[in-house]
Each structure stands twice: as C-alpha cells, then as structure tokens.
Amino acid sequence: MTITFPYLRAIIMAMMMVFTVTAHADVVKNIAAYEAGDYQTALNEFHKSADEGDADAQYYIGVLYHFGYIVEQDDQEAVKWYRRAAEQGQPDAQHNLGQMYFKGRGVEQDDQEAAVWYHRAADQGDVLAQLNLGFISSKGRGVLRDYKQAAAWF
C-alpha cells in the first residue's frame, strides 16, 4: 500500500531553505512530479540524484521510507539512506539516524550510537539534536550523566 502525503511540498520547501540553489532546482523538479501525481518519477529523480552522491536527495529518500510517503514504510531502508547522507555530513540525516538508533527502528537499539550521530548533527547547529543531547545527558543514556552538559545542550 502506498501512502501519499499532501503536505510533502510544504515540508520539503521548509527544509530546502538551508540548501544550495542547485539543490533547490532538483528538489523543486521532484516536487513538481510528485504534485502532478507522477510519484514514480519523483522517486526515480530523487534516486538519480542520490545515486550520484547528493546527500540531500539521500536524506529525502530516507524520509520517504521512514514515514511511508510514496513508498512502503521501511525503517531499514530509511536507515540505509539516512546513513549515506549522514556520512557525508548532512545534519538532518545525522539527527534522524540518531533517532533511529535511539528508538531501535531499522537497527538494533543503541544509545551510544545515537549519541554519536546526535553529536555530529548538534555540532552543525541542529537544534533537535542539541535538545536530544540535553535529554540523554540528563538521563545518562549513551553518555555519562552530566547535568552541566545537559544544561549546556538545552
């Protein structure tokens, strides 16, 4: 069963604000295919860019699989695409990969691995990753419990 998501354009457009002009053009083209109901073309175009090493496209494919937009929901496939983007330094993918480890979705639950990915994203200014680091630091999950460090991340 394929699930469509009517607000995909708004979400992607919001995330695009931080990307380059080239990434904007590719993503806008992919959104246009999606809005025209040509879901397979949209996914194929994301895959084309992702296969060429575009970390943003890899991240978006991860999101599609994570939430089941256009494709069947598949946590392991989401992790695969998040990891590809995260290893290239894409902060949203780093944060989401940390979430997958923290929750044990698509991978074995691992607080320490979650902390590694949260740190990478937080160091690039990802606010959600910073909040998650504050939380895990206050609880001692994946890192030593450290209230001062938790407060710094919050």
mmCIF file of all heavy atoms in Angstrom, residues 1-42:
data_model
loop_
_atom_site.group_PDB
_atom_site.id
_atom_site.type_symbol
_atom_site.label_atom_id
_atom_site.label_comp_id
_atom_site.label_asym_id
_atom_site.label_seq_id
_atom_site.Cartn_x
_atom_site.Cartn_y
_atom_site.Cartn_z
ATOM 1 N N MET A 1 0.838 -1.182 0.000
ATOM 2 C CA MET A 1 0.000 0.000 0.000
ATOM 3 C C MET A 1 0.882 1.244 0.000
ATOM 4 O O MET A 1 1.795 1.380 0.790
ATOM 5 C CB MET A 1 -0.894 -0.020 1.247
ATOM 6 C CG MET A 1 -1.686 1.224 1.428
ATOM 7 S SD MET A 1 -2.648 1.107 2.967
ATOM 8 C CE MET A 1 -3.541 2.596 2.835
ATOM 9 N N THR A 2 0.613 2.140 -0.906
ATOM 10 C CA THR A 2 1.359 3.385 -0.997
ATOM 11 C C THR A 2 0.574 4.489 -0.318
ATOM 12 O O THR A 2 -0.619 4.642 -0.547
ATOM 13 C CB THR A 2 1.604 3.762 -2.471
ATOM 14 O OG1 THR A 2 2.336 2.699 -3.074
ATOM 15 C CG2 THR A 2 2.392 5.044 -2.568
ATOM 16 N N ILE A 3 1.257 5.254 0.514
ATOM 17 C CA ILE A 3 0.623 6.354 1.225
ATOM 18 C C ILE A 3 1.120 7.652 0.612
ATOM 19 O O ILE A 3 2.319 7.865 0.468
ATOM 20 C CB ILE A 3 0.972 6.311 2.722
ATOM 21 C CG1 ILE A 3 0.490 5.001 3.334
ATOM 22 C CG2 ILE A 3 0.393 7.514 3.443
ATOM 23 C CD1 ILE A 3 0.971 4.779 4.738
ATOM 24 N N THR A 4 0.210 8.527 0.218
ATOM 25 C CA THR A 4 0.614 9.833 -0.267
ATOM 26 C C THR A 4 0.518 10.821 0.880
ATOM 27 O O THR A 4 -0.223 10.611 1.832
ATOM 28 C CB THR A 4 -0.275 10.299 -1.442
ATOM 29 O OG1 THR A 4 -1.622 10.352 -0.996
ATOM 30 C CG2 THR A 4 -0.136 9.345 -2.614
ATOM 31 N N PHE A 5 1.250 11.875 0.781
ATOM 32 C CA PHE A 5 1.306 12.854 1.858
ATOM 33 C C PHE A 5 1.070 14.233 1.269
ATOM 34 O O PHE A 5 1.936 14.774 0.595
ATOM 35 C CB PHE A 5 2.666 12.769 2.551
ATOM 36 C CG PHE A 5 2.781 13.643 3.764
ATOM 37 C CD1 PHE A 5 1.995 13.434 4.874
ATOM 38 C CD2 PHE A 5 3.689 14.682 3.787
ATOM 39 C CE1 PHE A 5 2.119 14.244 5.984
ATOM 40 C CE2 PHE A 5 3.807 15.496 4.895
ATOM 41 C CZ PHE A 5 3.015 15.267 5.996
ATOM 42 N N PRO A 6 -0.091 14.808 1.485
ATOM 43 C CA PRO A 6 -0.439 16.069 0.837
ATOM 44 C C PRO A 6 0.413 17.261 1.262
ATOM 45 O O PRO A 6 0.455 18.260 0.565
ATOM 46 C CB PRO A 6 -1.897 16.278 1.226
ATOM 47 C CG PRO A 6 -2.086 15.489 2.455
ATOM 48 C CD PRO A 6 -1.144 14.312 2.343
ATOM 49 N N TYR A 7 1.109 17.184 2.350
ATOM 50 C CA TYR A 7 1.897 18.308 2.830
ATOM 51 C C TYR A 7 3.384 18.134 2.546
ATOM 52 O O TYR A 7 4.205 18.869 3.069
ATOM 53 C CB TYR A 7 1.670 18.526 4.328
ATOM 54 C CG TYR A 7 0.221 18.764 4.648
ATOM 55 C CD1 TYR A 7 -0.546 17.782 5.234
ATOM 56 C CD2 TYR A 7 -0.390 19.961 4.301
ATOM 57 C CE1 TYR A 7 -1.886 17.993 5.502
ATOM 58 C CE2 TYR A 7 -1.725 20.180 4.555
ATOM 59 C CZ TYR A 7 -2.469 19.200 5.161
ATOM 60 O OH TYR A 7 -3.791 19.417 5.415
ATOM 61 N N LEU A 8 3.725 17.149 1.702
ATOM 62 C CA LEU A 8 5.130 16.897 1.398
ATOM 63 C C LEU A 8 5.804 18.146 0.848
ATOM 64 O O LEU A 8 6.918 18.480 1.230
ATOM 65 C CB LEU A 8 5.266 15.743 0.405
ATOM 66 C CG LEU A 8 6.696 15.364 0.022
ATOM 67 C CD1 LEU A 8 7.454 14.897 1.255
ATOM 68 C CD2 LEU A 8 6.692 14.288 -1.029
ATOM 69 N N ARG A 9 5.118 18.876 -0.034
ATOM 70 C CA ARG A 9 5.707 20.082 -0.617
ATOM 71 C C ARG A 9 6.085 21.077 0.479
ATOM 72 O O ARG A 9 7.189 21.618 0.475
ATOM 73 C CB ARG A 9 4.737 20.723 -1.608
ATOM 74 C CG ARG A 9 5.282 22.010 -2.210
ATOM 75 C CD ARG A 9 4.244 22.681 -3.113
ATOM 76 N NE ARG A 9 4.670 23.979 -3.536
ATOM 77 C CZ ARG A 9 5.370 24.231 -4.624
ATOM 78 N NH1 ARG A 9 5.711 23.246 -5.418
ATOM 79 N NH2 ARG A 9 5.722 25.459 -4.927
ATOM 80 N N ALA A 10 5.196 21.310 1.423
ATOM 81 C CA ALA A 10 5.474 22.292 2.481
ATOM 82 C C ALA A 10 6.661 21.853 3.332
ATOM 83 O O ALA A 10 7.521 22.672 3.670
ATOM 84 C CB ALA A 10 4.243 22.491 3.351
ATOM 85 N N ILE A 11 6.732 20.579 3.655
ATOM 86 C CA ILE A 11 7.826 20.081 4.478
ATOM 87 C C ILE A 11 9.150 20.206 3.735
ATOM 88 O O ILE A 11 10.134 20.709 4.268
ATOM 89 C CB ILE A 11 7.570 18.619 4.906
ATOM 90 C CG1 ILE A 11 6.406 18.571 5.890
ATOM 91 C CG2 ILE A 11 8.820 17.995 5.504
ATOM 92 C CD1 ILE A 11 5.911 17.182 6.189
ATOM 93 N N ILE A 12 9.164 19.767 2.489
ATOM 94 C CA ILE A 12 10.400 19.818 1.729
ATOM 95 C C ILE A 12 10.817 21.262 1.476
ATOM 96 O O ILE A 12 11.994 21.605 1.577
ATOM 97 C CB ILE A 12 10.276 19.013 0.424
ATOM 98 C CG1 ILE A 12 10.174 17.519 0.763
ATOM 99 C CG2 ILE A 12 11.472 19.264 -0.491
ATOM 100 C CD1 ILE A 12 9.931 16.625 -0.421
ATOM 101 N N MET A 13 9.866 22.123 1.166
ATOM 102 C CA MET A 13 10.208 23.525 0.928
ATOM 103 C C MET A 13 10.812 24.153 2.186
ATOM 104 O O MET A 13 11.763 24.932 2.091
ATOM 105 C CB MET A 13 8.978 24.315 0.460
ATOM 106 C CG MET A 13 8.449 23.877 -0.899
ATOM 107 S SD MET A 13 9.645 24.007 -2.231
ATOM 108 C CE MET A 13 9.528 25.745 -2.576
ATOM 109 N N ALA A 14 10.278 23.833 3.346
ATOM 110 C CA ALA A 14 10.827 24.369 4.594
ATOM 111 C C ALA A 14 12.256 23.883 4.808
ATOM 112 O O ALA A 14 13.133 24.654 5.210
ATOM 113 C CB ALA A 14 9.946 23.982 5.768
ATOM 114 N N MET A 15 12.492 22.597 4.526
ATOM 115 C CA MET A 15 13.834 22.044 4.715
ATOM 116 C C MET A 15 14.818 22.609 3.688
ATOM 117 O O MET A 15 16.007 22.720 3.960
ATOM 118 C CB MET A 15 13.796 20.520 4.624
ATOM 119 C CG MET A 15 13.066 19.874 5.778
ATOM 120 S SD MET A 15 13.135 18.075 5.778
ATOM 121 C CE MET A 15 12.192 17.663 4.335
ATOM 122 N N MET A 16 14.328 22.970 2.518
ATOM 123 C CA MET A 16 15.189 23.465 1.459
ATOM 124 C C MET A 16 15.815 24.811 1.772
ATOM 125 O O MET A 16 16.806 25.199 1.145
ATOM 126 C CB MET A 16 14.402 23.606 0.152
ATOM 127 C CG MET A 16 14.192 22.315 -0.549
ATOM 128 S SD MET A 16 13.309 22.467 -2.113
ATOM 129 C CE MET A 16 13.250 24.173 -2.462
ATOM 130 N N MET A 17 15.275 25.541 2.696
ATOM 131 C CA MET A 17 15.754 26.892 2.972
ATOM 132 C C MET A 17 17.251 26.943 3.240
ATOM 133 O O MET A 17 17.885 27.957 3.013
ATOM 134 C CB MET A 17 14.973 27.505 4.129
ATOM 135 C CG MET A 17 13.519 27.745 3.776
ATOM 136 S SD MET A 17 12.531 28.284 5.168
ATOM 137 C CE MET A 17 13.212 29.915 5.413
ATOM 138 N N VAL A 18 17.824 25.840 3.692
ATOM 139 C CA VAL A 18 19.244 25.834 4.021
ATOM 140 C C VAL A 18 20.130 25.284 2.914
ATOM 141 O O VAL A 18 21.341 25.244 3.054
ATOM 142 C CB VAL A 18 19.511 25.038 5.322
ATOM 143 C CG1 VAL A 18 18.812 25.672 6.487
ATOM 144 C CG2 VAL A 18 19.102 23.587 5.148
ATOM 145 N N PHE A 19 19.546 24.861 1.794
ATOM 146 C CA PHE A 19 20.316 24.192 0.758
ATOM 147 C C PHE A 19 20.735 25.155 -0.344
ATOM 148 O O PHE A 19 20.248 26.271 -0.453
ATOM 149 C CB PHE A 19 19.530 23.017 0.164
ATOM 150 C CG PHE A 19 19.128 22.007 1.195
ATOM 151 C CD1 PHE A 19 17.911 21.376 1.122
ATOM 152 C CD2 PHE A 19 19.963 21.701 2.260
ATOM 153 C CE1 PHE A 19 17.535 20.447 2.072
ATOM 154 C CE2 PHE A 19 19.604 20.784 3.203
ATOM 155 C CZ PHE A 19 18.376 20.151 3.109
ATOM 156 N N THR A 20 21.606 24.683 -1.209
ATOM 157 C CA THR A 20 22.117 25.499 -2.302
ATOM 158 C C THR A 20 21.079 25.680 -3.393
ATOM 159 O O THR A 20 20.088 24.957 -3.457
ATOM 160 C CB THR A 20 23.357 24.834 -2.922
ATOM 161 O OG1 THR A 20 22.937 23.619 -3.527
ATOM 162 C CG2 THR A 20 24.452 24.591 -1.908
ATOM 163 N N VAL A 21 21.328 26.623 -4.299
ATOM 164 C CA VAL A 21 20.420 26.883 -5.412
ATOM 165 C C VAL A 21 20.275 25.638 -6.283
ATOM 166 O O VAL A 21 19.178 25.308 -6.720
ATOM 167 C CB VAL A 21 20.923 28.080 -6.244
ATOM 168 C CG1 VAL A 21 20.105 28.249 -7.508
ATOM 169 C CG2 VAL A 21 20.893 29.352 -5.411
ATOM 170 N N THR A 22 21.347 24.905 -6.512
ATOM 171 C CA THR A 22 21.271 23.691 -7.322
ATOM 172 C C THR A 22 20.359 22.675 -6.670
ATOM 173 O O THR A 22 19.523 22.058 -7.334
ATOM 174 C CB THR A 22 22.675 23.081 -7.510
ATOM 175 O OG1 THR A 22 23.509 24.061 -8.114
ATOM 176 C CG2 THR A 22 22.614 21.841 -8.369
ATOM 177 N N ALA A 23 20.504 22.484 -5.381
ATOM 178 C CA ALA A 23 19.644 21.537 -4.679
ATOM 179 C C ALA A 23 18.197 21.986 -4.776
ATOM 180 O O ALA A 23 17.302 21.160 -4.943
ATOM 181 C CB ALA A 23 20.073 21.409 -3.220
ATOM 182 N N HIS A 24 17.960 23.301 -4.709
ATOM 183 C CA HIS A 24 16.596 23.819 -4.835
ATOM 184 C C HIS A 24 15.980 23.398 -6.161
ATOM 185 O O HIS A 24 14.854 22.935 -6.202
ATOM 186 C CB HIS A 24 16.579 25.354 -4.756
ATOM 187 C CG HIS A 24 16.833 25.907 -3.401
ATOM 188 N ND1 HIS A 24 15.951 25.763 -2.368
ATOM 189 C CD2 HIS A 24 17.873 26.621 -2.924
ATOM 190 C CE1 HIS A 24 16.445 26.366 -1.298
ATOM 191 N NE2 HIS A 24 17.597 26.886 -1.600
ATOM 192 N N ALA A 25 16.706 23.559 -7.241
ATOM 193 C CA ALA A 25 16.169 23.258 -8.569
ATOM 194 C C ALA A 25 15.821 21.782 -8.688
ATOM 195 O O ALA A 25 14.750 21.434 -9.197
ATOM 196 C CB ALA A 25 17.174 23.657 -9.637
ATOM 197 N N ASP A 26 16.700 20.908 -8.215
ATOM 198 C CA ASP A 26 16.432 19.477 -8.290
ATOM 199 C C ASP A 26 15.235 19.093 -7.443
ATOM 200 O O ASP A 26 14.372 18.326 -7.875
ATOM 201 C CB ASP A 26 17.655 18.679 -7.846
ATOM 202 C CG ASP A 26 18.808 18.765 -8.841
ATOM 203 O OD1 ASP A 26 18.553 19.133 -10.006
ATOM 204 O OD2 ASP A 26 19.944 18.467 -8.443
ATOM 205 N N VAL A 27 15.169 19.608 -6.232
ATOM 206 C CA VAL A 27 14.081 19.261 -5.336
ATOM 207 C C VAL A 27 12.757 19.810 -5.869
ATOM 208 O O VAL A 27 11.743 19.123 -5.841
ATOM 209 C CB VAL A 27 14.357 19.764 -3.898
ATOM 210 C CG1 VAL A 27 13.140 19.592 -3.017
ATOM 211 C CG2 VAL A 27 15.535 19.016 -3.312
ATOM 212 N N VAL A 28 12.769 21.036 -6.377
ATOM 213 C CA VAL A 28 11.547 21.612 -6.927
ATOM 214 C C VAL A 28 11.037 20.755 -8.086
ATOM 215 O O VAL A 28 9.843 20.499 -8.206
ATOM 216 C CB VAL A 28 11.772 23.082 -7.364
ATOM 217 C CG1 VAL A 28 10.605 23.597 -8.187
ATOM 218 C CG2 VAL A 28 11.987 23.953 -6.134
ATOM 219 N N LYS A 29 11.946 20.287 -8.929
ATOM 220 C CA LYS A 29 11.566 19.416 -10.042
ATOM 221 C C LYS A 29 10.932 18.122 -9.516
ATOM 222 O O LYS A 29 9.926 17.654 -10.042
ATOM 223 C CB LYS A 29 12.793 19.099 -10.898
ATOM 224 C CG LYS A 29 12.489 18.280 -12.143
ATOM 225 C CD LYS A 29 13.712 18.184 -13.040
ATOM 226 C CE LYS A 29 14.536 17.002 -12.604
ATOM 227 N NZ LYS A 29 15.680 16.740 -13.486
ATOM 228 N N ASN A 30 11.513 17.570 -8.482
ATOM 229 C CA ASN A 30 10.972 16.340 -7.900
ATOM 230 C C ASN A 30 9.612 16.579 -7.257
ATOM 231 O O ASN A 30 8.716 15.742 -7.354
ATOM 232 C CB ASN A 30 11.955 15.776 -6.878
ATOM 233 C CG ASN A 30 13.263 15.356 -7.516
ATOM 234 O OD1 ASN A 30 13.359 15.182 -8.724
ATOM 235 N ND2 ASN A 30 14.285 15.209 -6.707
ATOM 236 N N ILE A 31 9.448 17.728 -6.607
ATOM 237 C CA ILE A 31 8.156 18.071 -6.007
ATOM 238 C C ILE A 31 7.101 18.239 -7.095
ATOM 239 O O ILE A 31 5.959 17.799 -6.942
ATOM 240 C CB ILE A 31 8.265 19.346 -5.147
ATOM 241 C CG1 ILE A 31 9.124 19.062 -3.917
ATOM 242 C CG2 ILE A 31 6.886 19.832 -4.720
ATOM 243 C CD1 ILE A 31 9.497 20.308 -3.152
ATOM 244 N N ALA A 32 7.477 18.857 -8.207
ATOM 245 C CA ALA A 32 6.529 19.049 -9.310
ATOM 246 C C ALA A 32 6.022 17.702 -9.819
ATOM 247 O O ALA A 32 4.824 17.546 -10.084
ATOM 248 C CB ALA A 32 7.179 19.845 -10.437
ATOM 249 N N ALA A 33 6.911 16.737 -9.952
ATOM 250 C CA ALA A 33 6.495 15.399 -10.386
ATOM 251 C C ALA A 33 5.550 14.780 -9.367
ATOM 252 O O ALA A 33 4.530 14.176 -9.720
ATOM 253 C CB ALA A 33 7.715 14.510 -10.599
ATOM 254 N N TYR A 34 5.876 14.962 -8.086
ATOM 255 C CA TYR A 34 5.021 14.430 -7.014
ATOM 256 C C TYR A 34 3.628 15.054 -7.095
ATOM 257 O O TYR A 34 2.618 14.359 -7.058
ATOM 258 C CB TYR A 34 5.660 14.703 -5.655
ATOM 259 C CG TYR A 34 4.791 14.279 -4.495
ATOM 260 C CD1 TYR A 34 4.850 12.983 -4.014
ATOM 261 C CD2 TYR A 34 3.902 15.175 -3.906
ATOM 262 C CE1 TYR A 34 4.049 12.581 -2.953
ATOM 263 C CE2 TYR A 34 3.102 14.783 -2.851
ATOM 264 C CZ TYR A 34 3.169 13.490 -2.374
ATOM 265 O OH TYR A 34 2.372 13.096 -1.337
ATOM 266 N N GLU A 35 3.569 16.392 -7.210
ATOM 267 C CA GLU A 35 2.275 17.086 -7.218
ATOM 268 C C GLU A 35 1.448 16.758 -8.462
ATOM 269 O O GLU A 35 0.227 16.814 -8.413
ATOM 270 C CB GLU A 35 2.481 18.593 -7.105
ATOM 271 C CG GLU A 35 2.914 18.999 -5.715
ATOM 272 C CD GLU A 35 3.048 20.495 -5.545
ATOM 273 O OE1 GLU A 35 3.202 21.213 -6.554
ATOM 274 O OE2 GLU A 35 2.992 20.938 -4.391
ATOM 275 N N ALA A 36 2.128 16.404 -9.542
ATOM 276 C CA ALA A 36 1.412 16.022 -10.762
ATOM 277 C C ALA A 36 0.886 14.590 -10.663
ATOM 278 O O ALA A 36 0.237 14.111 -11.578
ATOM 279 C CB ALA A 36 2.336 16.165 -11.967
ATOM 280 N N GLY A 37 1.157 13.947 -9.545
ATOM 281 C CA GLY A 37 0.696 12.571 -9.349
ATOM 282 C C GLY A 37 1.634 11.546 -9.950
ATOM 283 O O GLY A 37 1.327 10.359 -9.971
ATOM 284 N N ASP A 38 2.787 12.012 -10.414
ATOM 285 C CA ASP A 38 3.771 11.106 -11.009
ATOM 286 C C ASP A 38 4.762 10.693 -9.921
ATOM 287 O O ASP A 38 5.922 11.088 -9.926
ATOM 288 C CB ASP A 38 4.465 11.803 -12.175
ATOM 289 C CG ASP A 38 5.299 10.854 -13.012
ATOM 290 O OD1 ASP A 38 5.430 9.672 -12.630
ATOM 291 O OD2 ASP A 38 5.837 11.311 -14.039
ATOM 292 N N TYR A 39 4.283 9.894 -8.980
ATOM 293 C CA TYR A 39 5.071 9.529 -7.815
ATOM 294 C C TYR A 39 6.320 8.734 -8.173
ATOM 295 O O TYR A 39 7.368 8.919 -7.575
ATOM 296 C CB TYR A 39 4.215 8.740 -6.829
ATOM 297 C CG TYR A 39 2.969 9.471 -6.417
ATOM 298 C CD1 TYR A 39 1.724 8.869 -6.506
ATOM 299 C CD2 TYR A 39 3.022 10.789 -5.962
ATOM 300 C CE1 TYR A 39 0.568 9.547 -6.137
ATOM 301 C CE2 TYR A 39 1.882 11.473 -5.596
ATOM 302 C CZ TYR A 39 0.661 10.846 -5.683
ATOM 303 O OH TYR A 39 -0.469 11.522 -5.324
ATOM 304 N N GLN A 40 6.182 7.867 -9.163
ATOM 305 C CA GLN A 40 7.339 7.062 -9.543
ATOM 306 C C GLN A 40 8.456 7.934 -10.121
ATOM 307 O O GLN A 40 9.622 7.737 -9.815
ATOM 308 C CB GLN A 40 6.942 5.968 -10.540
ATOM 309 C CG GLN A 40 8.006 4.904 -10.694
ATOM 310 C CD GLN A 40 8.350 4.214 -9.374
ATOM 311 O OE1 GLN A 40 7.474 3.745 -8.658
ATOM 312 N NE2 GLN A 40 9.624 4.186 -9.032
ATOM 313 N N THR A 41 8.085 8.932 -10.932
ATOM 314 C CA THR A 41 9.100 9.842 -11.477
ATOM 315 C C THR A 41 9.773 10.618 -10.352
ATOM 316 O O THR A 41 10.998 10.768 -10.346
ATOM 317 C CB THR A 41 8.476 10.818 -12.497
ATOM 318 O OG1 THR A 41 7.977 10.061 -13.603
ATOM 319 C CG2 THR A 41 9.498 11.835 -12.997
ATOM 320 N N ALA A 42 8.990 11.114 -9.407
ATOM 321 C CA ALA A 42 9.567 11.856 -8.275
ATOM 322 C C ALA A 42 10.581 10.987 -7.539
ATOM 323 O O ALA A 42 11.711 11.425 -7.265
ATOM 324 C CB ALA A 42 8.474 12.318 -7.327
#
